[in-house]
Amino acid sequence: MVLEASLSAAPAKVAAGPATRYFASLGNQSVMSCDGSDDEVASNQFEGYSASDSILKSSYASMQSRSHGPGSIADVRSNDMDDFVKMDLRLQMELLNCSTAEEQVLVYKVYVSKLLHELVITETASEDVEYELQLKVNEIAQLQRRIDDLTVIESAQTMSEFEDSVDLPLEELHRVLKQKNAEIKLHKARHKRSEDDTQALRAQLVTLEHDLSRSTIANRQLKSDLANESKRREESHKKTTVLRDKLDHLRKASSSPKKAAPGLEPELAAAAETIERLEQQLTHAAGVTRELSTANAELQAHVDALTRQHAQLEASHEALEAALATKDAELRRALAAADAKVASAEARFHQSESLRRKLHNQVMELKGNIRVFCRVRPPLPSERGEAEVFVFPDYDKEKRKVVLVADSRAHTSYMTGEAPGAKKWPFEFDQVFDWRATQEEMFDEVAALVQSAVDGYNVSIFAYGQTGSGKTYTMQGDETALTNFSASRLVDNANMGIVGRTMTHIFATCATQAAHGWTYQVNFEMYEIYNENIRDLMAAPGQPVKDISALLDADGNVHVTNLTVVPVEDERHAMQLLKQATTRRSMKKTQRNDVSSRSHCITTLRLHGSHAASGSVRTGAVYLIDLAGSERLKSSGSGNDPVMLKEAQNINKSLAALGNVISAIASKKTHVPFRDTKLTYVLQNTLGKDSKTLMICTLSPLEEHREESLNTLRFAKKVNACELALAGK
Ligand SMILES: Nc1ncnc2c1ncn2[C@@H]1O[C@H](COP(=O)(O)OP(=O)(O)OP(=O)(O)O)[C@@H](O)[C@H]1O
């Protein structure tokens, strides 16, 4: 077509007119390559150009220089902007110099073709780099595959040959071994070589990776150049539009382009096609730009949303912190209020505790500072079937009455005590217990008194009665109580007596009081009065016997000197001490009792309580006294043994002295004969002021012991009539 016609035209022919020369140059550029011969031809085609075409020629030369030589693209990139600005300037100047519309169209077409050419060169260079990179990657993959193949072949060969050789004779094996060693050496050498190769390949790989990263950077640069190019294309599109408008305007201004230049129509059509193509590209670019701006807008919206979310989170965080600070302050106030409440509750508790102590003491005083219980033991297995002498008229009510019936053969009602014709001795005490009463029931009545010791009073509980009537059983329990207390709780042993139960009660109360700031120290002492001598039952065996005596201090309190005092850790420890001391007690088998106590035994628990917050101090003591039993020398058989005779005489003497002391107190005599015996001397504290005393009179149910029982009951009645000085604390 026109293009081919222009190419085939000779320079002289081309010089025929400027329009023809323009189209000739345009045609050349559209087929332009990097080949020098083409350049020459194209260059020659400008030879016939006059001064007005010199700018176009120089533009073409500049364009040529860009397309030549390796690295030329990269070299000229930095100058691209300047070049394009220059080109634009030239275009403007060319357009100004044009005298006709056709000339302007020509100038513009050359400009557009330059731009297209520039674009093609850039894209080609980028594709070349990518292709080169792909080649290098393929090369590396191939090398790696070769290495893998070699390794697999080597190991497969070695294994199969070895398996074949296993069945060979020894010499053959040696030979094979030698051969294999040589082969191994060879393989090692090959392996070394392949390792070297691998190293070299790795180095190559590193170089390639460097190249790759350099190419990636260059590619990135190219892409950015492309983007710039697109921008420029957009600008040029705008200019194209302006020019087209101008062109339309010029077309309209001239009467008819067909008339003015009928030979230019095909060129105009071609130019219009090019313009249309460019417009399509520009439209595409505009679409991409729109998409990008949409994406950008979306991203911006997302960023805005995130910013808003962040602001909301900040606000809620601040609100939470403020709420936390408020809650913290509230909590502190509540804590301070709670502390104040606790302090006030503690103070109130302290007050009410003092009040309770006072009231409890008043109750004890109303009941009498010296009280008497009476307990009749059941007949022993050896005594079953023997006549019994006691009736309990109010046992289902107050349990205060007991009646001794003289003639058991007379019919006597157990509950009413009605026995027509029989002699009866009715007695009334603070509490009576028949043979059914358990150790627990006994202690329930004693516990209130023990509580007084924790409250800071001196409390004495002693058992009085004829031999074999149940004193030791009531105070300590039977043998199992002392041997079988390893159970979790001491009182689980039903036979446990008052001593063990008192310990349990004291330690439980101390634990409760500890929760209210009280700290208690409990000390344990145990001694016996045997034949008018005091013996320390807690003294370590083998130690020299200390001189123990009872002394009266200025306040009229008796102190037994040189006794071993053991601080007690807990009830179990106390029980162990009790067991240890009991084994040292003087016991003997008599006709009346297999385990008869031949001494008066006094167990003392001293309590010292202190309240750090208030500075209050409480000191109290519990004296638990198991008296020796009164006995008739004849019936007990003690009269036949001088030692037992002496023991019995001392026992009876001290019990008689106790009777005299009680009589003196009961009849409010000024002189009370405490000094008559050791027993009465040490009991001054328990029968004097500041003391709460309980006497438990134990009785045998048998008729044959009726006389002794009557004596015991009469003694108990005398004690019941006593009034001790009021305890004041
Ligand atoms: N309430 C009771 N229930 C069951 N058995 C009892 C009871 N009271 C005493 N006994 C038993 O009667 C026997 C004599 O009791 P105990 O040794 O306590 O008498 P005692 O008054 O201490 O005698 P002594 O003055 O000679 O020491 C013991 O075997 C004891 O277990």
Side-chain angles (χ1 to χ4, degrees), residues 375 377-378 380 466-473 593 595-597 628-629:
R375 184 182 198 185
R377 71 160 169 81
L380 302 175
Q466 70 169 104
T467 182
S469 60
K471 297 182 293 296
T472 304
Y473 180 85
N593 190 355
V595 279
S596 180
S597 312

Side-chain angles (χ1 to χ4, degrees), residues 525-529 534-538 548 560 563 599-604 606 623 682-683:
E525 297 167 17
M526 197 163 163
Y527 63 93
E528 67 175 357
I529 302 169
I534 296 176
R535 286 168 48 169
D536 184 1
L537 296 175
M538 293 308 298
I548 296 172
V560 180
L563 278 183
S599 64
H600 310 296
C601 177
I602 297 147
T603 307
T604 309
R606 294 189 191 280
Y623 301 95
V682 297
L683 288 184

Side-chain angles (χ1 to χ4, degrees), residues 34-53:
C34 293
D35 189 298
S37 59
D38 284 336
D39 292 344
E40 214 170 83
V41 172
S43 178
N44 288 337
Q45 287 175 340
F46 283 99
E47 289 302 307
Y49 236 78
S50 61
S52 63
D53 295 329

Side-chain angles (χ1 to χ4, degrees), residues 364 369-373 442-453 458-464 471 474-476 497-503 505-506 601-605 621-627 683 685-687 691-698:
M364 291 293 110
N369 266 10
I370 183 159
R371 298 162 70 200
V372 178
F373 287 179
M442 275 293 304
F443 188 75
D444 282 347
E445 296 300 321
V446 175
L449 207 59
V450 173
Q451 180 60 43
S452 285
N458 290 337
V459 172
S460 309
I461 301 169
F462 54 95
Y464 177 94
K471 297 182 293 296
T474 299
M475 294 307 286
Q476 287 183 3
I498 286 173
V499 178
R501 287 171 196 272
T502 296
M503 289 169 179
H505 184 89
I506 284 175
C601 177
I602 297 147
T603 307
T604 309
L605 288 166
V622 189
Y623 301 95
L624 300 162
I625 304 145
D626 180 11
L627 294 170
L683 288 184
N685 289 353
T686 67
L687 296 170
S691 185
K692 297 174 192 306
T693 303
L694 170 67
M695 177 175 281
I696 302 170
C697 292
T698 54

